[in-house]
Every structure is written in C-alpha cells, then in structure tokens.
Amino acid sequence: MLNTIWSSPIILALIAALCYGISSPVMKIGMVYGGASPNAMLVAYGLGALLIGVLWWKIGSESISIGTNSIGILALIAVGLLLGTAFVSIIRAFTLPMGSVTLVMTLVAAYPVLSSAIEIFFMNARIRPAQALLGCVLVIAGGITVSASVLPNEK
C-alpha cells in the first residue's frame, strides 16, 4: 500500500496540495493571532522538511546522493536558494496588511505557468500548445479575479 501511494504522481501532488492548503492558513493564524515570528516559521519549515526528508529516506529504498557531477550539485544549491526565497517571501507577505492567505497563495499558485514554460522550452515536454495556453490563461485569470476581490481590512 505504501509503495503504491509513494509511486503515484497524482496522489503525491494531491498530498502536496492538501499540505500547502492547510499550512498557509495555519501559518497566518500562528503569526497574526499566536505571536509566532516569521523567523520562527522559517525555522519550523526547515526542521519539518529535514525531518520528513530523513523519514522518507529511512522508509524508502533510495539513498541520499548529491549527484554525480556539477549539474547535480548546482541543482541542489539552486533548489535550496529558490525554495528558501519563495518560503521567506510567502511568510513576509502574510505579515503585511493586505497579505491575506487567499490573495498570497492564489498568486503563488501561478508558478505552474513558469514551470511549464521552462519544461516546454528547455526540457522537451510533450504538450499541446492549446492546452498550455488555456492553462496559463486560466491561472492568470484566477489570480486577477482573486486579487481584485480581496477586501482592504482583511487580516
């Protein structure tokens, strides 16, 4: 059963969506109503990611490898810096007066537009241009719709 769950990209994507969907409001509540600092949230994220990574390694059969050449090492460094910057940006946005979870996370959810463009142009992804265009339009339209509907005094 466990191997089935961890080998399905759809189930893993749904788990990621569920965790992001729950963690963002919890983060905002912890900072606004619980007094937790943005730095404490960042440390909690790092420790949680480390713990889950070690558990995944221990229950799985994969070893931890930094790569066999400079591309693997550079990718590890880039991923760490990019995801760290993304998470710090989200935390900081939540602390601002207009930084509602609804607004921030809807705009963050537009990242597949960039990810898809990179995969299409640099990694030879196989996708129909009409599908890619429709997906991008829907993501951007959703972001604009939510951004325009956020009330100014929302915490």
Side-chain angles (χ1 to χ4, degrees):
M1 172 77 175
L2 192 58
N3 279 344
T4 306
I5 292 172
W6 296 121
S7 62
S8 170
I10 294 171
I11 291 175
L12 291 171
L14 292 173
I15 290 170
L18 177 70
C19 292
Y20 272 123
I22 294 170
S23 68
S24 298
V26 169
M27 199 180 339
K28 176 82 177 190
I29 290 167
M31 288 187 297
V32 172
Y33 301 108
S37 72
N39 288 338
M41 289 293 176
L42 183 59
V43 169
Y45 170 73
L47 291 174
L50 181 63
L51 175 65
I52 297 300
V54 169
L55 288 174
W56 184 311
W57 169 55
K58 284 295 196 185
I59 66 171
S61 59
E62 296 179 24
S63 63
I64 295 178
S65 171
I66 62 168
T68 58
N69 57 37
S70 60
I71 293 173
I73 294 169
L74 290 174
L76 287 171
I77 293 168
V79 164
L81 293 174
L82 289 167
L83 292 177
T85 301
F87 194 73
V88 168
S89 299
I90 290 168
I91 291 172
R92 175 69 181 133
F94 285 162
T95 65
L96 300 174
M98 287 291 293
S100 72
V101 172
T102 303
L103 172 65
V104 173
M105 293 314 291
T106 300
L107 295 176
V108 168
Y111 78 86
V113 172
L114 181 58
S115 296
S116 296
I118 290 170
E119 188 174 22
I120 289 167
F121 293 113
F122 299 108
M123 300 170 68
N124 299 320
R126 297 181 57 169
I127 186 170
R128 292 182 183 96
Q131 287 176 316
L133 181 60
L134 177 62
C136 291
V137 168
L138 290 173
V139 166
I140 292 167
I144 291 170
T145 302
V146 171
S147 297
S149 67
V150 175
L151 302 174
N153 292 330
E154 194 174 340
K155 266 195 169 182

